[in-house]
Amino acid sequence: ESGEGKQGHHVFERRRGIAGKAGADTLAKKRFDIITELYAEAVKEVAATPENWMAFLNSACRNYRLPFDEQLLVHVQRPDATAVLQMEDWNRKFGRWVKRDSKGIVVIDKNAKTMRLKHYFDISDTQEGRYRRLVRPVPLWEVGEKYRQDVQETLANAFGVSGERFCGNHTGGGGKRSR
């Protein structure tokens, strides 16, 4: 076989690699566009009714450290999410591993230099790792029963809304109404 044939094959492989990269870039752009569209629709949906807004707040309070846009995308994809982190953070910080076939919650990565998406996983998508010494408890925000009444009164006084309306949606307890 001549060297010319091998060289031609090499050029084909290089072109296929370039085409593959272009295809991957197109797919990434398509995914980015889908999430951007989902975000725009979610903004309208959440603002459409007081009930939708309260449902969003109920979801967002469990992931209060996230920026608003990420909270919104978590809400529309997994409104029941309790605690979300990226896979590496679950592994490193809590010794938890994301279960096989878990579906990530896609958000826009605003810290990246180029348009990029990142994936969060809820605690329900994880399991304790096999090395028990690396497993740490996951702190979930909740107002203890002992403080619930005081928190409800403070929120009601601060925002001019009855404690009944605030109870189940803002003071922890996983959305359960406490009266």
Side-chain angles (χ1 to χ4, degrees):
E1 190 165 297
S2 71
E4 189 177 305
K6 288 182 183 177
Q7 185 178 10
H9 180 71
H10 179 69
V11 169
F12 172 73
E13 286 296 320
R14 189 172 58 218
R15 280 190 190 146
R16 191 168 71 185
I18 292 168
K21 182 177 182 335
D25 289 346
T26 302
L27 183 60
K29 177 155 179 25
K30 186 180 260 184
R31 288 181 181 158
F32 188 85
D33 291 345
I34 289 169
I35 293 300
T36 302
E37 188 177 314
L38 178 65
Y39 177 79
E41 290 171 13
V43 168
K44 292 175 193 168
E45 181 70 25
V46 164
T49 68
E51 293 77 21
N52 290 0
W53 180 246
M54 292 301 285
F56 164 70
L57 292 177
N58 190 36
S59 171
C61 75
R62 292 186 299 265
N63 293 291
Y64 63 92
R65 292 183 179 188
L66 298 179
F68 174 80
D69 57 323
E70 291 184 8
Q71 287 178 336
L72 191 60
L73 286 167
V74 167
H75 171 69
V76 297
Q77 294 173 72
R78 293 275 298 276
D80 61 333
T82 305
V84 299
L85 286 173
Q86 292 184 61
M87 183 184 303
E88 298 79 20
D89 290 331
W90 279 122
N91 296 348
R92 190 171 21 93
K93 294 178 181 178
F94 296 104
R96 298 188 70 85
W97 303 98
V98 173
K99 298 173 192 170
R100 182 184 301 270
D101 298 328
S102 293
K103 302 287 186 228
I105 302 165
V106 183
V107 299
I108 298 167
D109 187 355
K110 292 196 170 179
N111 294 329
K113 293 177 182 166
T114 61
M115 63 175 191
R116 201 174 104 188
L117 300 174
K118 61 184 176 182
H119 296 80
Y120 286 129
F121 294 89
D122 184 50
I123 189 170
S124 65
D125 296 323
T126 68
Q127 61 191 11
E128 289 184 357
R130 74 170 103 165
Y131 302 109
R132 296 284 176 212
R133 63 182 165 69
L134 299 177
V135 175
R136 289 177 205 62
V138 178
L140 300 177
W141 185 82
E142 185 173 295
V143 174
E145 194 58 45
K146 169 176 162 180
Y147 303 107
R148 192 172 304 264
Q149 185 66 35
D150 291 338
V151 170
Q152 289 171 354
E153 287 175 17
T154 301
L155 290 171
N157 292 336
F159 297 103
V161 179
S162 72
E164 285 280 319
R165 191 150 173 221
F166 262 121
C167 297
N169 296 307
H170 295 81
T171 56
K176 298 174 190 161
R177 288 212 178 269
S178 61
R179 295 184 180 173

